[in-house]
Amino acid sequence: NTTHYFAYGDGVASVHESFIGSTRLKEVAVVGSTLKKIKYDGGNLIVYATGKWFKTARPYILDTPDPDGRLFEAQRAIISYLEKYAERNPEDRVIIKANNTDFFNSIPFETNIEVDYASKFIKLLQNARLVILDTPGTTCIEAASLPVPLFVLSGRVPWFEEPMRMLKKRAVVESKVDNLVTKLEEYETGGFYSADLESREFSDSYAGVRDSGEAVDEVMQNLTRITNGH
């Protein structure tokens, strides 16, 4: 029954605008996000943020592989790489950031790497040297907004073509975990990073370009205009 929708950025707005005319929706306004921009200090953290398990809530999407089986294999390969990385690079602190959904976030492997169930991802992100994601979502938008090397395993859930195109400008994206590990090894040994750390197209499209204060002002101006019948 919504007639007006506020979106973070143009990428989100374009999806909802397609419903104008076929539903009660009349307008989509891009207002930005009221969340504060993340302060990036850089540091020595290697952050592997992993997804949650679907368990019995698995979506049965045609031609989509078992998401939990895929996550299991991804964790096994990435954790194995990170254990070796930690031995080669003792000056770095390697962290597995578990998902924040209780009962769906266990790590089914014994590992000597630190597993963090408590910290917020954005807190770790402030001091990250490198970020790895196996289930890109909100964490992907947050990481892409900062100039930190970002390595993403795609394919667990379908993405639209346009956001994936934008993401590949900013992050190293692979659909197979073995290929992603190879890219990580290439970055570790030679600093090779095939994407652009300064690309803002993805983060601006899905998180907006306004700061929190500007976003609040934009929301209030739009609310006033809508309630006055304009």
Side-chain angles (χ1 to χ4, degrees), residues 145-180:
S145 70
L146 303 176
V148 60
L150 176 59
F151 293 79
V152 176
L153 179 65
S154 64
R156 192 175 186 219
V157 295
W159 272 42
F160 291 115
E161 182 178 336
E162 187 64 7
M164 182 56 69
R165 179 191 66 79
M166 295 180 191
L167 177 60
K168 286 181 177 180
K169 290 184 177 181
R170 168 62 184 84
V172 175
V173 182
E174 294 289 342
S175 60
K176 295 182 179 179
V177 68
D178 290 345
N179 292 344
L180 187 70

Side-chain angles (χ1 to χ4, degrees), residues 32-54:
S33 172
T34 58
L35 296 177
K36 292 183 178 179
K37 300 298 182 184
I38 302 169
K39 180 184 177 183
Y40 182 58
D41 298 319
N44 69 334
L45 298 187
I46 307 299
V47 182
Y48 168 33
T50 186
K52 68 179 178 181
W53 304 100
F54 281 104

Side-chain angles (χ1 to χ4, degrees), residues 205-221:
S205 292
Y206 294 95
V209 297
R210 297 180 176 91
D211 64 28
S212 57
E214 292 171 337
V216 170
D217 290 342
E218 190 70 18
V219 168
M220 296 308 299
Q221 290 172 17

Side-chain angles (χ1 to χ4, degrees), residues 121 125 131 133 138-148 150 170:
F121 175 69
L125 193 55
V131 174
L133 304 176
T138 304
T139 51
C140 193
I141 298 172
E142 292 167 339
S145 70
L146 303 176
V148 60
L150 176 59
R170 168 62 184 84

Side-chain angles (χ1 to χ4, degrees), residues 176-196:
K176 295 182 179 179
V177 68
D178 290 345
N179 292 344
L180 187 70
V181 169
T182 297
K183 296 295 186 181
L184 286 163
E185 291 171 341
E186 290 175 351
Y187 182 75
E188 178 190 353
T189 57
F192 179 70
Y193 187 76
S194 59
D196 180 5

